[in-house]
Amino acid sequence: MKIALLKNIFLVAFLLFNTVSAIAYDCEVNGICYTRTSTSEVKVTYKSGYYSGDIVIPETIVFNGKTFTVTSIDDKAFMVCRQLTSVSLPKTIKTFGRMSFKGCVLLTSITFPQDFESYSQDSFEECTSLSNIYVDENNQKFRDIDGVLYSKDGTKLILCPMAKAQHTIVDGITSIEKNAFKGCAISSKIVIPSSVVSIGEGAFEACSNIEEIIIPNSVTTIEKKNFNGMNNLKSITLPDNLTRINSYLVSGCPLLTSIKIPENVTFIDGSAFSRNSGITEITIPNNVETIWDGSFSDCTSLTTLRIGTGLKTVGCHSFDNCTKLYEIYCYPMTPPNYRLFTTKISSEPFEGVDKNWCTLYVPKGTISLYKHSSSKHRWGDFLYIEEFDASAVSDCSVENEKTKAVYYDIIGRKYTIDNYEKLPKGLYIISGKKIVRN
């Protein structure tokens, strides 16, 4: 009996909460709902049943015989209004709340009014038809250039609307802001001007039409997730002055076949280059001291890895599922430490790499250190460990010597070696001919 009573109480509370949420506005005037924010101001708020068509918001409304100024658009006010085609805003509007226009798929343009000051990063998410953002010329904070939002002084590119297919980034800006081009239809090639010094988090994330990005050496900071999920990216040039590669920086780009990590980089953060299934070779520059967790995981075409002299720590799962990796050239004279979890869950850096097949090459005179390394290293898990003359190569980014030949086994795995006898037994193809290693 008590359980049934408690259930009824919870049900009544739930219904009351949702009823209050559904009518959480103070008045409705000409089909638009408002909530008071002060004794003289109101904000446009959510309407049960959604807004549609062309909406014109007035500067003021009269409620209970009193005049109120309309100054803001509330959180989620127009969210998922899929039949909303346009919104005309009065000059008194100052702010847009969180997800205020999210999912308005028929909205093609919007104009920031004279007094407008701020909006949320997710205000226009999933507005897939939005091709132009305009700004009143009297606005003191923003301006528009070719339908793209910039700061008034022209130093920041703030937001490119999702449906914008072409835009030349204006020379003279110093920063590209967080999520500026996220999910945009911008196509083909992006050239970032040499005036830019920083690129905010997720600035080009999920831009599936961009094929090439050129970043000048003036850029010293690129925040995380910048080039994440770019399905058609084939080429990217990272600036020489980067010292840190942030998490998910260039990840989930299946058409990318190579990446050059700048020589000044000292730290590669988690999942920085993960899920790049087209990359076949990776070189870690000599200045890199730490590769963090999952940095190159799921690079399923990776065959050759070169690790520079300065590496000290390899993070958990750094090369997980790099199933075609068959040669690692490790240049440090002291084996880099593995960063392992203390739990029973496997956390070693090369999970999924066949250590009975992949050959680990180490500098002359260090094979004993690598083979008998402690639990902090575990390089001895590799069955084949061979020494090579690392001193003969001044830079680990140097390509394999021309004397090496390229072999492929019957499942397409690549071997680049200078001695046929190093091949495991089996059938191989070289220069279009089949050979058998007995």
Side-chain angles (χ1 to χ4, degrees):
M1 186 68 177
K2 288 182 178 179
I3 294 174
L5 181 60
L6 285 171
K7 285 183 177 179
N8 288 333
I9 291 171
F10 283 127
L11 178 60
V12 170
F14 175 79
L15 292 172
L16 283 172
F17 174 80
N18 282 278
T19 301
V20 170
S21 297
I23 58 171
Y25 57 87
D26 294 324
C27 66
E28 182 174 344
V29 179
N30 295 328
I32 302 174
C33 298
Y34 301 91
T35 299
R36 285 174 292 184
T37 57
S38 72
T39 56
S40 61
E41 296 179 350
V42 293
K43 60 184 177 182
V44 178
T45 193
Y46 169 81
K47 176 182 180 180
S48 179
Y50 303 107
Y51 297 97
S52 62
D54 302 326
I55 298 293
V56 178
I57 299 173
E59 286 188 21
T60 60
I61 63 165
V62 177
F63 174 53
N64 287 342
K66 185 176 180 179
T67 300
F68 291 84
T69 302
V70 183
T71 59
S72 62
I73 308 296
D74 198 9
D75 295 350
K76 304 179 183 180
F78 295 100
M79 188 174 77
V80 200
C81 292
R82 299 188 181 279
Q83 300 303 313
L84 183 69
T85 51
S86 70
V87 179
S88 178
L89 302 169
K91 67 179 182 179
T92 53
I93 293 288
K94 295 180 180 179
T95 62
F96 297 157
R98 292 191 64 250
M99 297 182 281
S100 48
F101 294 93
K102 182 176 180 177
C104 293
V105 294
L106 296 183
L107 191 65
T108 59
S109 67
I110 195 160
T111 300
F112 287 12
Q114 175 181 305
D115 297 339
F116 190 77
E117 297 175 352
S118 67
Y119 72 99
S120 174
Q121 287 288 338
D122 53 12
S123 291
F124 299 101
E125 277 189 358
E126 300 173 25
C127 292
T128 53
S129 297
L130 189 66
S131 56
N132 288 291
I133 297 174
Y134 300 117
V135 181
D136 186 289
E137 62 180 12
N138 294 313
N139 187 285
Q140 297 302 303
K141 190 166 184 178
F142 302 104
R143 64 184 292 194
D144 69 88
I145 299 175
D146 185 32
V148 173
L149 186 65
Y150 285 78
S151 60
K152 187 69 174 182
D153 61 6
T155 61
K156 299 176 181 178
L157 191 159
I158 300 173
L159 183 64
C160 180
M162 286 192 73
K164 178 71 70 175
Q166 296 290 337
H167 181 68
T168 300
I169 299 174
V170 176
D171 194 12
I173 68 166
T174 57
S175 68
I176 298 173
E177 298 294 279
K178 180 179 179 180
N179 296 338
F181 289 90
K182 184 177 180 180
C184 282
I186 291 286
S187 60
S188 192
K189 183 177 181 179
I190 290 286
V191 178
I192 296 174
S194 58
S195 56
V196 175
V197 296
S198 66
I199 304 175
E201 178 183 335
F204 294 92
E205 185 175 16
C207 289
S208 58
N209 294 329
I210 295 176
E211 296 182 359
E212 181 181 5
I213 295 180
I214 298 175
I215 307 172
N217 289 332
S218 59
V219 175
T220 57
T221 303
I222 305 177
E223 298 296 346
K224 64 182 180 180
K225 294 185 178 180
N226 242 287
F227 313 105
N228 179 42
M230 299 181 69
N231 293 333
N232 281 303
L233 185 67
K234 298 176 182 177
S235 174
I236 183 168
T237 304
L238 295 176
D240 292 340
N241 292 323
L242 279 187
T243 58
R244 179 187 177 99
I245 302 292
N246 285 307
S247 58
Y248 295 97
L249 187 71
V250 186
S251 64
C253 304
L255 299 187
L256 193 65
T257 57
S258 64
I259 186 79
K260 185 180 185 299
I261 301 171
E263 294 295 326
N264 291 318
V265 169
T266 60
F267 183 88
I268 299 176
D269 208 347
S271 301
F273 298 103
S274 62
R275 299 179 294 113
N276 291 321
S277 56
I279 290 180
T280 58
E281 297 190 13
I282 288 171
T283 295
I284 310 298
N286 291 330
N287 287 322
V288 174
E289 296 183 355
T290 303
I291 299 173
W292 209 239
D293 303 345
S295 295
F296 298 91
S297 60
D298 297 300
C299 291
T300 52
S301 296
L302 181 65
T303 60
T304 302
L305 170 64
R306 297 180 181 86
I307 297 174
T309 57
L311 190 67
K312 297 177 181 178
T313 303
V314 185
C316 307
H317 308 294
S318 292
F319 297 91
D320 270 18
N321 203 32
C322 294
T323 53
K324 291 185 178 179
L325 186 60
Y326 79 90
E327 58 179 1
I328 301 172
Y329 290 86
C330 202
Y331 284 75
M333 298 300 290
T334 301
N337 289 328
Y338 282 15
R339 197 183 91 85
L340 302 174
F341 294 147
T342 56
T343 63
K344 293 181 180 180
I345 299 173
S346 177
S347 59
E348 68 105 351
F350 296 95
E351 188 75 22
V353 174
D354 188 348
K355 299 180 190 64
N356 293 324
W357 174 67
C358 180
T359 300
L360 174 65
Y361 296 94
V362 300
K364 282 186 177 180
T366 66
I367 194 166
S368 180
L369 289 174
Y370 279 88
K371 276 188 173 182
H372 304 101
S373 53
S374 68
S375 59
K376 289 184 178 181
H377 305 85
R378 293 181 58 178
W379 294 97
D381 290 350
F382 287 88
L383 180 61
Y384 298 105
I385 303 179
E386 299 183 16
E387 291 187 339
F388 75 112
D389 187 5
S391 64
V393 184
S394 60
D395 186 341
C396 75
S397 65
V398 173
E399 297 296 325
N400 286 344
E401 294 87 341
K402 292 182 180 180
T403 56
K404 291 189 176 182
V406 178
Y407 299 81
Y408 292 89
D409 66 13
I410 58 174
I411 63 172
R413 293 182 295 195
K414 178 183 174 184
Y415 296 77
T416 307
I417 57 177
D418 55 3
N419 187 346
Y420 165 78
E421 298 297 326
K422 293 180 180 179
L423 287 172
K425 293 180 180 180
L427 178 65
Y428 296 89
I429 297 173
I430 177 172
S431 300
K433 298 178 181 180
K434 291 182 181 179
I435 62 168
V436 177
R437 164 79 168 93
N438 295 316

